[in-house]
Amino acid sequence: MKSDNPVYGRRTILKASAALFAAGILPPAGSAFAQMVLNRTQDQILGPFYPIMSKPNRSGDLTRVPGGSGRAKGQLLIVKGRVIDPAGKPVAGADVEIWQANAVGRYAHPDDTNPAPLDPNFEGFGAVITGTDGRYQFKTIKPSPYPVTPTRMRPAHIHFDVRGRHDELITQMYFEGDPYHKTDAFLQSATNPEALIVKLDPPAPGEPDFMVAEFDIVLRG
Ligand SMILES: [Fe+2]
């Protein structure tokens, strides 16, 4: 009989697993106690507009500039989720940093040559620390797609740099329904592009002006 294991036969291993399960050492396959192994969130490039000239806004609300008087233009958006490890356990104390273009596709970055106007009430750079439950949340606006050449557009996206205890992930979150997904070399470089695309949920009670995007992030820890 063909064996799947060079040392122990498959039947021997199954018998041993059943004995360990009966002894309460191994969880039954498919049970709520079975070992969960989640794929690490896919990397994406840092991009040229990482805000090297400023410190992130740590208020959790990017729709207002500290000391400013107005609110950012565009569709208000809550971006939230959990930072978890491959076993699904929360990564507390992770530093979640985001940066993004404004509502007309312009970054507040000196190297951005897009002629679209800056928004004085939007710097598009923030950071928060996850709580003990691994959760993070930002108030921001939905960015617009922007041109990278006269004939090529990037789909709307928000950049993330997430630093856990011993892993750092740089990625981008995209929005369902964007017409530029299929032609975007960066999104399409992902093994599973759909996993980086979120849908916008309707506003939650108490925040009627904010659409909601949920983006969970898996780090090694
Ligand atoms: Fe970008």
Side-chain angles (χ1 to χ4, degrees), residues 3-221:
S3 168
D4 294 319
N5 187 287
V7 179
Y8 302 106
R10 175 177 165 77
R11 184 166 294 180
T12 306
I13 291 172
L14 288 175
K15 274 185 185 169
S17 296
L20 289 168
F21 165 55
I25 295 169
L26 282 182
S31 83
F33 303 103
Q35 178 77 37
M36 184 175 3
V37 181
L38 301 169
N39 290 329
R40 184 175 182 269
T41 298
Q42 301 163 103
D43 297 290
Q44 292 271 277
I45 62 159
L46 182 73
F49 302 129
Y50 181 79
I52 49 175
M53 305 294 280
S54 57
K55 296 265 189 230
N57 175 344
R58 288 198 169 268
S59 72
D61 185 355
L62 278 61
T63 70
R64 298 184 189 279
V65 172
S69 56
R71 179 160 245 180
K73 294 188 179 80
Q75 170 60 60
L76 295 170
L77 183 67
I78 287 175
V79 179
K80 65 179 184 177
R82 290 199 312 149
V83 180
I84 52 180
D85 70 13
K89 294 193 180 116
V91 179
D95 196 2
V96 181
E97 200 172 84
I98 65 170
W99 65 102
Q100 62 171 96
N102 68 19
V104 290
R106 173 78 185 270
Y107 283 87
H109 190 289
D111 291 344
D112 190 357
T113 57
N114 184 355
L118 288 167
D119 179 347
N121 295 308
F122 189 69
E123 292 175 339
F125 184 30
V128 294
I129 302 290
T130 58
T132 53
D133 55 2
R135 291 194 178 277
Y136 73 90
Q137 176 173 310
F138 293 97
K139 285 182 174 174
T140 185
I141 54 107
K142 184 176 182 288
S144 175
Y146 58 83
V148 284
T149 71
T151 57
R152 193 163 67 85
M153 296 286 287
R154 288 228 61 207
H157 58 276
I158 295 179
H159 295 264
F160 280 72
D161 183 350
V162 185
R163 300 179 199 98
R165 289 184 298 272
H166 44 263
D167 191 12
E168 177 174 3
L169 173 81
I170 294 168
T171 193
Q172 300 178 36
M173 181 193 89
Y174 299 80
F175 297 88
E176 188 177 75
D178 194 294
Y180 302 111
H181 284 167
K182 287 280 181 274
T183 54
D184 187 65
F186 302 118
L187 174 58
Q188 296 305 326
S189 72
T191 306
N192 179 15
E194 291 299 318
L196 297 175
I197 300 172
V198 299
K199 68 180 175 65
L200 288 191
D201 292 324
E207 297 284 7
D209 299 328
F210 286 81
M211 298 293 283
V212 178
E214 286 213 54
F215 187 53
D216 289 342
I217 293 158
V218 182
L219 288 184
R220 294 197 186 96

